[in-house]
Amino acid sequence: MIGNSWDDILKDEFKKDYFKDLVKFLNLENKTKTIFPKSEDLFRALKLTDYKDVNVVILGQDPYHGEKEANGLCFSVNHGVQSPPSLQNIFKELKSDLNITRTDTDLSDWAKQGILLLNTVLTVEKDKAFSHRGKGWEIFTDKIIEKLNEKEDPVVFVLWGNAARSKKTLLTNKRHMIVESAHPSPLSYNKGFKDSKPFSKINNLLTSVNKKEIKW
């Protein structure tokens, strides 16, 4: 029987060699470089949305690498920080899809409604996108996805862009549902994200399995 909290589910991962190596790498990096997000926000997505509460997963790639942007939730930045382009496009699509105008850049209210806002890599060096790719985080976050795949309770997985879509191979449980499209970044916004209506799709899927709609 699988536990109901991330602490239970992931406790063995923290003991594995790859994770110990990852911690050593981060400790060294932190001595000479600026790493985002702040250490207290590293597992914020898991803290705000525990395993038993996950109804939706939105997969991002790695944290924002600009000053004061990353806050531990994919696509989210702290209150008062200017929206990065991907988040601007997400809000543009939200307006187009459900006629909701959102200005709050901190998506923690989504997390508290059961949306796991998970990046596949959880740290980054300042001003260097993807700088911590291949250091072990992907093994850890793949384990998170695998454990969510084991849930008996249906989950909506939102896969934006090729990196997120590559995780479909981990989603073998037929009771789960997938919403996918191009990435909201400026490079691919017009190549399949615009007019993809993900927010109404997510809510329709949730209500189809007798779950509450998300208040976007």
Side-chain angles (χ1 to χ4, degrees):
M1 178 69 186
I2 196 163
N4 272 332
S5 79
W6 287 121
D7 288 339
D8 292 338
I9 288 160
L10 298 172
K11 64 178 186 293
D12 290 340
E13 293 305 298
F14 299 123
K15 300 171 190 169
K16 290 181 179 176
D17 287 344
Y18 85 86
F19 201 90
K20 291 176 183 173
D21 290 342
L22 174 59
V23 170
K24 282 180 199 166
F25 165 75
L26 290 172
N27 286 340
L28 278 173
E29 290 284 287
N30 272 307
K31 284 178 181 173
T32 56
K33 297 168 184 171
T34 302
I35 305 302
F36 298 133
K38 294 182 293 188
S39 57
E40 60 264 34
D41 288 336
L42 196 51
F43 298 112
R44 188 165 175 238
L46 301 178
K47 287 174 183 168
L48 287 182
T49 318
D50 210 351
Y51 181 82
K52 66 184 182 301
D53 302 321
V54 176
N55 292 319
V56 179
V57 179
I58 296 179
L59 274 185
Q61 295 179 36
D62 69 336
Y64 295 123
H65 52 82
E67 195 73 50
K68 295 181 181 175
E69 291 182 334
N71 68 6
L73 306 176
C74 74
F75 297 110
S76 172
V77 293
N78 287 324
H79 297 290
V81 176
Q82 184 177 353
S83 291
S86 290
L87 188 58
Q88 288 176 30
N89 287 336
I90 288 168
F91 289 172
K92 206 185 291 184
E93 184 60 21
L94 179 58
K95 174 69 175 172
S96 167
D97 184 3
L98 293 174
N99 199 28
I100 292 171
T101 302
R102 183 181 172 103
T103 55
D104 188 355
T105 55
D106 185 338
L107 305 180
S108 56
D109 60 308
W110 291 4
K112 289 169 185 173
Q113 293 178 75
I115 301 181
L116 182 66
L117 294 161
L118 181 70
N119 279 313
T120 55
V121 174
L122 299 189
T123 54
V124 70
E125 183 182 341
K126 181 184 176 183
D127 298 332
K128 292 188 179 178
F130 302 126
S131 49
H132 288 181
R133 189 161 39 177
K135 302 297 184 184
W137 279 127
E138 295 92 339
I139 303 170
F140 181 72
T141 54
D142 277 2
K143 179 61 69 175
I144 289 171
I145 296 166
E146 286 167 10
K147 291 299 183 183
L148 289 165
N149 182 60
E150 292 173 19
K151 278 187 82 151
E152 292 181 16
D153 193 30
V155 174
V156 180
F157 287 87
V158 182
L159 310 177
W160 288 333
N162 292 335
R165 282 168 146 172
S166 72
K167 303 299 181 181
K168 266 206 294 194
T169 54
L170 303 174
L171 304 177
T172 56
N173 188 331
K174 299 296 184 202
R175 66 172 61 88
H176 301 316
M177 301 162 283
I178 294 174
V179 171
E180 61 181 313
S181 72
H183 196 274
S185 75
L187 289 172
S188 49
Y189 173 72
N190 287 311
K191 297 176 183 174
F193 184 78
K194 184 183 179 185
D195 298 327
S196 61
K197 302 192 182 303
F199 307 101
S200 56
K201 285 177 183 172
I202 292 163
N203 276 350
N204 288 338
L205 289 170
L206 289 172
T207 55
S208 77
V209 290
N210 300 313
K211 292 191 175 192
K212 277 186 186 174
E213 291 188 346
I214 303 296
K215 292 178 181 173
W216 302 104

